[in-house]
């Protein structure tokens, strides 16, 4: 029996408008897993783990449950996603569809908060797991007030060593505050759904339904063996990837190619250029020309990687990796969705990111280099995440996920290890991650636990406790607590546990407790002195909240020399000590940041440090935040450190201090600020005193931008003038 949407909406007590909105989105009747989820109580407050393939419509269940929570139960819903990019996507989607119903949708991912009305008034709030954790530490009571539903999207990320622990702790905190809240966990690749459901006091709904059938196969020596279809030759003779791409693009489909490294994404995209270009229509070629120009001009100054991207884009091919600027990544994703791009070569990180399906998905590299461990097979779960992207609903008759073998033996290996194997079980990474002290401090600061038994009780709601037992948990917590007490982040008094002001500040700044300890030590060293820029930047780089930059062997000697001439705030390990290499990696970060705040061009950063625009972006955000944390800690401990004030803004904008008054103007980045400064415009006042035309003449300014900047400068100058 098929369930009509109209009937469902009526029986769920939702307004009839919902039917119209869904029908506009092409939804007339429920897919089987959706029906199963609703029969299991998704709209009746029942917690569920919904384990079903990508594109099987899990999101719709979550949306309906949100509507039910808001419109039917008068409550609020929290939509948790693992990545910022996903949060943006989800927010746009929900707001477009449901704000006409009067549902207020909000998003909070850090500096960038948006809601129709105040955040606290949002009916559905989309947040990243990290942001939810941070808000909870600030005891933001509005977050859980009236909370009826929590959606946990991509819940398999529990098993990710970096992202999983936060989600676990957020779930524990939300359930601590609202024991009866409905949880709706979604994932495409979960093999122990029952166990996860048990942890969440939920029911498991498991389905292998796919609206677009998925074929999986292995390519070897010109032949493609599809498990569901049998073997057939692939024409071409230009190499496995090119042939596999050309075949599908020739039929009007699109292809995603997953490879192991950034460098390979670029090399693979370049190789595909000529054969794909040959398949483009003149209109497509014209559209791509425009796209390439836009992508190259995302930054004020283009870098080699920007130019490489532009050169690929004109051929209908792109690469996608973390070195690209977020705006460039969005352009690539958008163009692929619109069908303008035919193939995208990407690192496996995309598999965990935005929703970007393609008719054929080629997973070229199944081995990857793991720092400290060497090369190894990627987890089966990751393979399934990538494979699941094959098949665009509504566009493709089927999807194909293809791996490439180099010989018969490897073909067997790939079949048993990936194609025929289920994903690994989801397991807790909380004890292993090294972040337990951070979560423990967070729990004490948030007020969940005021004694050791209460701490244990709080953490007994984690997956760690469920999977490894209370003994394991007690051991791990005991060690973390010792550290927090020894470093005076927490005080113990008459059996109770209390955060010190230091501990409270560290938790609320959302930095690792060890980062707080490192910064405190460095700032004490620096107090009353004028430490060099490099010393301060190295202090930030030494915290566990910043990762070092990998060294090429050739750099070791040079960096050792540079380091020998500098003074640092922290003890420097000798060249024979095992931590010396790590130290050099931190020095490399500090050197890159120093170049950045002294206005080295992005191209230079790419050449000297291997930093793409996306890396610079990430690095500067992290460093700016830690600089802010350092400023706050210096305030707390009453330590005067010269050079610290202003560092945060310099890091954010990549400028010398003299440009700070200029970069506050919208549309003025580091390059234009320098142009203005050299032309004698030292701040908004100088700009306001002249005519817009005098700006329009400057390089990198057009008349429109000149006018906008001039108007804003005038406004700012007036504000400043009004001050007594
Ligand atoms: P998932 O969350 O499981 O990955 P999505 O919710 O993204 O799947 O669904 C994939 C596509 O299928 C979306 O474009 C969605 O609008 C569409 N879809 C979902 N449910 C239905 C349905 N019952 N009928 C038709 N299309 C649907």
């Amino acid at each position: 029996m098929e369930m009509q949407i109209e009937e469902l909406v009526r029986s769920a007590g939702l307004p009839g408008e919902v039917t119209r909105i869904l029908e506009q989105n092409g939804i007339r009747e429920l897919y089987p897993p959706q029906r199963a989820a609703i029969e299991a109580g998704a709209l009746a407050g029942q917690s569920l783990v919904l384990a079903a393939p990508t594109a099987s419509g899990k999101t719709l269940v979550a949306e309906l449950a949100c509507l039910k929570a808001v419109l039917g139960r008068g409550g609020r819903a929290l939509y948790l996603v693992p990545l910022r990019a996903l949060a943006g996507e989800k927010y746009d989607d929900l707001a477009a569809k449901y704000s006409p119903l009067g549902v207020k949708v909000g998003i909070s991912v850090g500096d960038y908060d948006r809601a129709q009305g105040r955040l606290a008034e949002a009916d559905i709030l989309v947040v990243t797991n990290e942001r939810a954790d941070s808000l909870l530490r600030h005891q933001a009571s509005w977050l859980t007030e009236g909370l009826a539903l929590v959606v946990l999207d991509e819940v398999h990320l529990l098993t990710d060593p970096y992202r999983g622990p936060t989600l676990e702790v957020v779930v524990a905190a939300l359930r601590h505050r609202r024991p009866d809240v409905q949880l709706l966990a979604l994932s495409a690749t979960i093999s122990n759904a029952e166990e996860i459901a048990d942890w969440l006091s939920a029911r498991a709904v498991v389905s292998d339904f796919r609206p677009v059938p998925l074929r999986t196969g292995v390519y070897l020596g010109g032949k493609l063996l599809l498990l569901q279809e049998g073997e057939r030759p692939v024409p071409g003779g230009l190499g496995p990837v090119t042939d596999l791409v050309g075949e599908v693009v020739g039929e009007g489909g699109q292809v995603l190619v997953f490879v192991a490294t950034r460098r390979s994404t670029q090399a693979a995209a370049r190789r595909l250029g000529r054969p794909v270009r040959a398949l483009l229509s003149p209109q497509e070629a014209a559209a791509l020309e425009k796209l390439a120009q836009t992508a190259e001009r995302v930054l004020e100054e283009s870098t080699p990687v920007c130019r490489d991207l532009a050169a690929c884009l004109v051929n209908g091919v792109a690469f996608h990796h973390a070195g690209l600027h977020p705006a460039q990544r969005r352009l690539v994703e958008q163009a692929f969705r619109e069908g303008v791009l035919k193939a995208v070569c990407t690192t496996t990180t995309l598999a965990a990111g935005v929703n970007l399906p393609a008719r054929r998905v080629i997973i070229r590299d199944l081995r990857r280099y793991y720092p400290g461990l060497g090369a190894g097979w990627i987890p089966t779960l990751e393979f399934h995440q990538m494979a699941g992207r094959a098949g665009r609903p509504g566009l493709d008759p089927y999807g194909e996920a293809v791996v490439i073998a180099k010989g018969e033996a490897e073909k067997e290996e790939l079949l048993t290890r990936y194609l025929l194997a289920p994903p690994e079980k989801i397991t807790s990474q909380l004890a292993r991650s090294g972040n337990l002290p951070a979560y423990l401090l967070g729990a004490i600061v948030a007020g969940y636990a005021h004694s050791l038994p209460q701490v244990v009780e709080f953490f007994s709601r984690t997956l760690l406790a469920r999977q490894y037992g209370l003994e394991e948990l007690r051991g791990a917590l005991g060690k973390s607590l010792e550290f927090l007490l020894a470093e005076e982040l927490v005080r113990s008094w008459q059996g109770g546990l209390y955060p010190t002001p230091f501990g409270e500040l560290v938790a609320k700044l959302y930095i690792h407790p060890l980062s707080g300890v490192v910064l405190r030590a460095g700032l004490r060293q620096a107090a009353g002195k004028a430490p060099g820029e490099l010393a301060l930047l190295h202090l930030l780089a030494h915290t566990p909240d910043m990762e070092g930059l990998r060294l090429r062997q050739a750099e070791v000697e040079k960096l050792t020399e540079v380091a020998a001439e500098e003074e640092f705030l922290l003890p420097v390990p000798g060249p024979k000590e095992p931590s010396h290499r790590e130290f050099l990696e931190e020095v490399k970060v500090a050197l890159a940041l120093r170049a950045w705040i002294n206005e080295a061009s992005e191209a230079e950063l790419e050449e000297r440090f291997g930093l793409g625009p996306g890396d610079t972006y990430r690095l500067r955000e992290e460093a700016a935040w830690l600089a802010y944390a350092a400023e706050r800690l210096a305030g707390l401990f009453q330590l005067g450190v010269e050079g610290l004030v202003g560092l945060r803004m310099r890091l954010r904008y990549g400028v010398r201090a003299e440009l700070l008054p200029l970069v506050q103007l919208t549309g003025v980045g580091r390059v234009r600020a320098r142009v203005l400064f050299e032309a004698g415009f030292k701040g908004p006042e100088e700009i306001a005193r002249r005519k817009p035309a005098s700006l329009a003449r400057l390089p990198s300014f057009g008349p429109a931008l000149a006018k906008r900047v001039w108007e804003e400068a005038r406004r700012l100058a007036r504000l400043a003038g009004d001050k007594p």
Side-chain angles (χ1 to χ4, degrees):
M1 187 199 72
E2 273 156 3
M3 196 191 262
Q4 299 295 321
I5 292 295
E6 193 175 350
E7 179 193 330
L8 166 78
V9 167
R10 194 171 343 103
S11 66
L14 293 171
E17 274 285 286
V18 175
T19 311
R20 203 183 44 77
I21 294 173
L22 295 180
E23 284 184 351
Q24 270 172 2
N25 284 279
I27 296 165
R28 293 207 160 66
E29 59 197 23
L30 293 180
Y31 288 153
Q34 296 170 334
R35 200 160 58 224
I38 285 165
E39 276 162 11
L43 305 187
Q46 171 66 46
S47 290
L48 296 179
V49 171
L50 179 49
T54 311
S56 64
K58 298 183 292 299
T59 307
L60 180 69
V61 177
E63 289 177 9
L64 289 172
C66 286
L67 291 180
K68 178 72 189 177
V70 172
L71 300 172
R73 292 196 264 157
R76 302 172 58 234
L78 206 56
Y79 208 118
L80 290 175
V81 296
L83 301 167
R84 274 175 178 225
L86 285 175
E89 206 174 73
K90 201 57 77 184
Y91 167 82
D92 290 342
D93 215 46
L94 288 169
K97 273 199 207 144
Y98 302 117
S99 43
L101 291 175
V103 175
K104 294 196 203 94
V105 183
I107 179 171
S108 177
V109 288
D111 326 334
Y112 163 73
D113 289 349
R114 229 180 330 146
Q116 300 118 331
R118 286 195 18 233
L119 215 50
E121 283 158 16
D123 297 314
I124 306 175
L125 184 64
V126 183
V127 281
T128 56
N129 301 331
E130 274 70 26
R131 181 65 178 158
D133 192 24
S134 165
L135 287 170
L136 285 161
R137 283 188 197 181
H138 282 88
Q139 290 142 316
S141 59
W142 55 267
L143 191 69
T144 46
E145 222 156 88
L147 188 66
L149 169 72
V150 180
V151 178
L152 311 167
D153 205 358
E154 312 281 354
V155 79
H156 56 270
L157 279 168
L158 281 165
T159 209
D160 179 296
Y162 301 104
R163 300 219 151 82
T166 310
L167 178 55
E168 245 184 83
V169 171
V170 166
V171 168
L174 289 169
R175 296 183 79 195
H176 174 87
R177 288 211 190 167
R178 303 217 40 118
D180 299 329
V181 74
Q182 181 190 3
L183 303 171
L184 189 52
L186 313 176
S187 174
T189 48
I190 211 171
S191 55
N192 52 333
E194 295 288 346
E195 189 184 18
I196 301 300
D198 187 64
W199 168 52
L200 297 173
S201 317
R203 282 190 203 160
V205 175
V206 181
S207 161
D208 58 9
F209 167 83
R210 287 182 161 276
V212 184
L214 176 67
R215 305 170 177 170
T216 46
V218 195
Y219 174 97
L220 173 62
K223 289 201 211 93
L224 176 59
L225 167 67
L226 288 167
L227 298 183
Q228 299 78 3
E229 305 272 306
E231 195 170 67
R232 59 177 182 74
V234 178
L238 296 170
V241 173
T242 305
D243 291 352
L244 285 166
V245 169
E247 189 180 44
V248 168
V249 175
E251 292 165 358
Q254 291 171 292
V255 188
L256 279 177
V257 185
F258 286 100
V259 299
T261 67
R262 291 180 183 190
R263 210 181 278 249
S264 342
T265 66
Q266 295 183 219
R270 276 194 296 266
R271 271 198 302 275
L272 287 173
R274 198 196 288 240
V276 171
R277 187 174 179 85
L279 299 166
L280 299 174
S281 71
Q283 291 91 327
E284 284 173 329
L288 288 163
E289 202 69 52
K290 275 216 192 91
L291 175 68
Q293 285 173 12
T294 315
E296 192 177 340
R297 289 198 201 128
V298 157
L299 302 175
E300 282 182 323
E301 36 177 344
S302 75
T303 73
V305 81
C306 301
R307 289 190 285 275
D308 198 15
L309 179 64
C312 288
L313 288 174
V314 294
N315 297 326
V317 181
F319 53 89
H320 186 292
H321 60 60
L324 287 180
H325 192 274
Q328 290 170 324
R329 271 179 268 160
R330 278 196 298 274
L331 276 175
V332 168
E333 291 155 14
Q334 181 68 20
F336 192 76
R337 274 191 207 109
E338 286 167 2
V340 183
L341 278 176
K342 304 302 170 192
V344 172
C345 303
T346 177
T347 48
T348 51
T349 44
L350 183 74
V354 290
N355 185 15
L356 205 65
R359 182 175 302 174
R360 182 174 278 171
V361 169
I362 301 169
I363 301 141
R364 193 194 73 180
D365 301 339
L366 287 148
R367 292 172 72 80
R368 194 193 302 156
Y369 175 80
Y370 292 92
L373 297 170
W377 293 107
I378 65 166
T380 308
L381 187 146
E382 279 187 33
F383 163 79
H384 285 290
Q385 280 290 326
M386 294 185 267
R389 310 220 147 206
R392 280 186 75 161
L395 279 180
D396 294 329
Y398 55 84
E400 283 178 351
V402 178
V403 298
I404 297 170
K406 291 186 195 76
E408 279 301 332
E410 195 180 71
K411 183 171 162 185
E412 288 310 309
E413 168 100 46
L414 295 179
L415 281 169
T416 46
R417 188 178 276 277
Y418 294 109
L419 276 65
L420 299 170
E424 294 85 359
K425 279 176 37 166
I426 307 294
T427 55
S428 169
Q429 305 297 316
L430 184 57
R432 239 170 289 169
S433 73
N435 285 340
L436 197 55
Y439 299 116
L440 175 55
L441 179 62
I444 294 171
V445 167
Y448 305 140
H450 301 287
S451 65
L452 191 55
Q454 285 178 2
V455 163
V456 174
E457 144 91 25
F458 175 80
F459 282 92
S460 69
R461 291 189 192 83
T462 58
L463 183 61
L464 170 70
R466 169 71 182 68
Q467 289 184 319
Y468 297 96
L470 281 182
E471 269 325 294
E472 175 89 16
L473 179 70
R474 274 203 194 92
L477 284 170
K479 264 195 234 125
S480 297
L481 186 58
E482 258 173 52
F483 165 78
L484 296 178
L485 288 167
E487 295 294 351
E488 297 177 335
L489 288 140
V490 169
R491 230 189 340 250
S492 144
W493 190 68
Q494 298 195 333
L497 296 171
Y498 306 88
T500 61
F502 175 42
E504 180 146 354
L505 183 55
V506 163
K508 292 192 169 166
L509 286 167
Y510 208 67
I511 57 174
H512 195 286
L514 191 54
S515 295
V517 170
V518 166
L519 291 175
R520 180 181 60 186
L523 291 169
R524 282 184 174 151
Q525 269 305 310
K529 298 186 201 119
E533 276 175 358
L534 195 75
L536 277 177
L537 295 169
H538 172 261
L539 178 62
L540 307 183
H542 183 67
T543 64
D545 281 305
M546 275 196 98
E547 258 180 73
L549 283 173
R550 250 203 263 155
L551 301 183
R552 278 171 276 126
Q553 202 48 42
E555 290 174 305
V556 171
E557 202 179 321
K558 180 98 188 76
L559 280 168
T560 311
E561 272 171 35
V562 174
E565 284 166 21
E566 295 283 343
E567 283 197 43
F568 293 92
L569 294 168
L570 302 166
V572 171
K576 297 243 154 51
E577 285 179 58
S579 60
H580 190 254
R581 196 179 172 94
E582 234 170 88
F583 165 72
L584 293 182
E585 290 177 352
E586 296 159 10
V587 171
K588 186 171 172 184
V589 172
L591 286 169
L593 290 172
R594 186 171 68 176
W596 166 249
I597 62 174
N598 287 293
E599 298 175 39
S601 70
E602 298 242 17
E604 189 181 335
L605 291 166
E606 200 170 301
E607 267 147 40
R608 279 178 58 198
F609 302 99
L611 295 172
D615 304 303
T616 313
Y617 181 86
R618 216 169 23 257
L619 209 60
R620 71 172 209 221
E621 293 289 305
E622 285 170 11
W625 184 251
L626 285 163
Y628 171 67
E631 226 181 297
R632 295 286 307 273
L633 289 169
L636 178 73
F637 293 111
Q638 300 187 315
L639 302 167
V641 177
E642 222 173 286
L644 195 55
V645 174
L647 187 59
R648 174 199 195 183
M649 284 306 173
R650 290 186 61 197
L651 282 163
R652 164 143 290 165
Y653 291 104
V655 293
R656 296 202 175 91
E658 65 207 25
L659 296 191
L660 287 176
L662 289 166
V663 286
Q664 59 178 323
L665 294 162
T666 319
V668 177
R670 56 203 307 250
V671 174
R672 293 195 181 104
R674 181 47 68 194
V675 167
L676 285 169
F677 191 87
E678 298 307 326
F681 299 99
K682 312 255 144 103
E685 296 80 17
E686 280 92 343
I687 297 174
R689 263 186 242 127
R690 304 278 297 275
K691 293 248 149 55
S694 55
L695 295 191
R697 277 194 293 273
L698 299 175
S700 81
F701 278 88
L705 180 64
K707 183 149 179 292
R708 254 186 293 133
V709 168
W710 180 78
E711 276 166 5
E712 193 183 352
R714 210 167 48 148
R715 204 155 37 74
L716 288 175
R718 240 191 252 137
L719 279 178
D722 284 347
K723 274 186 202 141

